[in-house]
Amino acid sequence: MSINEVFMPALSSTMTEGKIVSWVKSPGDKVEKGETVVVVESDKADMDVETFYEGYLAHIIVAAGETAPVGAAIAYIAETEAEIPTAKSLANPGGTAASSAPSPVPVAAPALVAPVTTSQNGSNHQPGRVVVSPRARKLAKELKVDLNTLKGSGPYGRIVAEDIEVAVGKVPPVTTSVVTPAPVTAPVTAPAPVVTPVPTQVVTSSVPGQVVPFTTLQNAVIRGMVASLSAPVFRVSYTISTDGLDKLYKQIKSKGVTMTALLAKAVAVTLQKHPILNASYSDQGVVNHSDINISVAVAMDDGGLITPVLQNADAIDIYSLSRNWKSLVERARTKQLQPAEYNSGTFTLSNLGMFGVDTFDAILPPGQGSILAIGASRPQVVATADGLFAVRQQMQVTITCDHRIIYGADAAGFLQDLAKLIETNPQSLTM
């Protein structure tokens, strides 16, 4: 006989609580190994949680819409139907079954999430095991695709729905490099965002006299922004002429290239010469990141902010980068991003220029050393080197830096080289 606990999994390295979005299974339902049991909302994404055990969902401890700390029991799974009443009695503090029940065995979190300690959630990834998302498994069955012939593009090699679509030729392959979370050698001092309870129905409109609770995502942003205030920062502004960049954008826009991708590419290439701007602070010293992953701030329709990450932006061609960005934004809007796609950034862009904003200061994200605020590009009358006047398209950019590891000369040198690239050699961004 065996009764196992389902624990709240850690879906990202910063997650401390999770909200139950929905239970896929109901009490009394049979569950198979690898089957999705519950959908959990972390700070920025909804994730399917699978079980590596067979049995019956005997009792739900944490109902849909409620939250629980990482590692807390959220349900019981009984090995046989006969054990269901015993499992239910475990939820009763006055029951005696708990003393005679065997040690609970956790239901593991899906392999797509960052590693968590075995004491909390069991092993997330077993070598040699083909890990498939529920949506991908269903799509593969419909399209008659052999999963054993595919190589997954998700974290830890997980097969996702897009892999199935690529296999049957529905969509072109996406070349974004997936960053597998590595063991952290230096702790990040900023407190992690904490997930707090959110009502099942989110009210997004403003009603006079009504207090609208924050969404999970909004609470994550609040925690992160408050934590960032502990870092001493400074800001440096620079004016960049964008005539050449605007001309290039008009030439290649029809090929699917976005201005966001162009700016991210320009920043990433410049960071190659200024790695300290791509670094972050820790109590042990400067954390020099091996990859250049550009986070780009995106406002969500229901409130809050998320930063999809263009991984290895310096090494990927502008056309693939643009396709990747379009995919990231679409999935961010529907809360389908994987953790590595929003928490692996090493440098952030915040662009309010599309709203006509001339200049602004951005708040430093926790765990990063720099963020670049980009204003609108506008026609300006400027004096040329030969003493004449001309009209140039110019934009104001302001970089916010962690002064514990980055100094004024570092930021100025970065902005100077970024301006030089955009003004004199924007065509190099397509190479």
Side-chain angles (χ1 to χ4, degrees):
M1 295 179 66
S2 177
I3 297 173
N4 303 317
E5 285 182 331
V6 182
F7 290 116
M8 174 63 72
L11 302 180
S12 70
S13 60
T14 60
M15 178 177 166
T16 59
E17 285 186 331
K19 173 188 172 185
I20 304 297
V21 176
S22 63
W23 284 95
V24 179
K25 294 291 185 177
S26 301
D29 287 353
K30 183 77 167 64
V31 295
E32 302 291 342
K33 181 179 179 181
E35 190 173 15
T36 296
V37 176
V38 62
V39 179
V40 172
E41 179 185 53
S42 64
D43 49 0
K44 297 177 181 177
D46 294 346
M47 306 291 257
D48 297 323
V49 177
E50 304 168 359
T51 173
F52 291 154
Y53 304 93
E54 296 182 6
Y56 294 85
L57 182 60
H59 180 72
I60 292 174
I61 302 172
V62 182
E66 298 180 357
T67 61
V70 167
I74 57 176
Y76 291 115
I77 289 182
E79 186 175 4
T80 65
E81 284 187 279
E83 294 175 287
I84 292 179
T86 303
K88 289 181 178 179
S89 69
L90 294 177
N92 181 8
T96 59
S99 60
S100 60
S103 298
V105 179
V107 173
L112 67 140
V113 302
V116 293
T117 57
T118 304
S119 61
Q120 289 182 335
N121 297 305
S123 173
N124 280 333
H125 179 65
Q126 298 178 352
R129 179 175 178 268
V130 177
V131 185
V132 187
S133 73
R135 184 184 170 203
R137 192 181 297 278
K138 179 180 178 181
L139 194 60
K141 185 176 181 180
E142 294 174 354
L143 299 177
K144 295 181 173 55
V145 175
D146 185 359
L147 294 172
N148 294 316
T149 64
L150 300 182
K151 182 178 180 181
S153 63
Y156 301 108
R158 191 176 202 251
I159 297 175
V160 295
E162 193 170 78
D163 298 324
I164 308 299
E165 294 174 340
V166 169
V168 298
K170 279 192 173 184
V171 298
V174 177
T175 58
T176 300
S177 301
V178 175
V179 177
T180 301
V184 179
T185 56
V188 178
T189 58
V194 177
V195 179
T196 56
V198 179
T200 303
Q201 183 176 3
V202 178
V203 181
T204 57
S205 59
S206 185
V207 180
Q210 182 181 30
V211 177
V212 181
F214 293 117
T215 66
T216 304
L217 180 56
Q218 287 173 322
N219 272 298
V221 173
I222 291 169
R223 302 287 183 179
M225 295 302 97
V226 171
S228 71
L229 296 178
S230 63
V233 300
F234 70 94
R235 298 172 179 87
V236 179
S237 297
Y238 207 97
T239 301
I240 301 177
S241 296
T242 63
D243 295 88
L245 186 67
D246 294 338
K247 182 179 179 180
L248 173 64
Y249 175 58
K250 291 178 181 178
Q251 292 173 348
I252 59 180
K253 180 181 179 181
S254 61
K255 298 180 181 180
V257 174
T258 66
M259 181 57 77
T260 296
L262 280 171
L263 292 170
K265 180 74 172 180
V267 167
V269 171
T270 307
L271 285 173
Q272 292 176 333
K273 300 179 181 179
H274 301 270
I276 189 62
L277 274 296
N278 193 55
S280 58
Y281 168 87
S282 76
D283 287 339
Q284 285 68 41
V286 179
V287 180
N288 293 298
H289 301 288
S290 57
D291 299 318
I292 297 177
N293 299 334
I294 306 299
S295 301
V296 184
V298 174
M300 301 294 283
D301 295 334
D302 59 349
L305 187 73
I306 193 168
T307 52
V309 180
L310 288 167
Q311 297 167 352
N312 299 309
D314 59 319
I316 297 177
D317 69 87
I318 191 63
Y319 304 102
S320 297
L321 203 64
S322 295
R323 288 195 299 270
N324 294 346
W325 176 244
K326 181 180 179 182
S327 173
L328 286 168
V329 171
E330 288 175 351
R331 289 182 288 118
R333 302 285 188 196
T334 56
K335 300 184 70 176
Q336 297 298 314
L337 291 180
Q338 307 304 321
E341 294 175 319
Y342 62 77
N343 66 11
S344 60
T346 58
F347 187 104
T348 297
L349 295 183
S350 181
N351 183 6
L352 293 181
M354 64 187 73
F355 297 103
V357 173
D358 292 317
T359 182
F360 68 102
D361 296 335
I363 297 177
L364 184 69
Q368 293 186 22
S370 305
I371 179 172
L372 186 67
I374 301 173
S377 178
R378 298 186 183 280
Q380 303 287 345
V381 177
V382 300
T384 63
D386 54 7
L388 301 177
F389 290 100
V391 177
R392 298 280 188 268
Q393 289 289 130
Q394 293 187 328
M395 69 179 180
Q396 295 282 335
V397 299
T398 301
I399 192 166
T400 301
C401 299
D402 189 335
H403 212 336
R404 292 172 295 186
I405 61 172
I406 301 169
Y407 305 109
D410 299 321
F414 166 79
L415 293 177
Q416 190 176 47
D417 283 344
L418 177 63
K420 183 178 179 180
L421 171 61
I422 291 175
E423 292 176 352
T424 66
N425 193 23
Q427 290 290 340
S428 64
L429 299 175
T430 63
M431 298 176 182

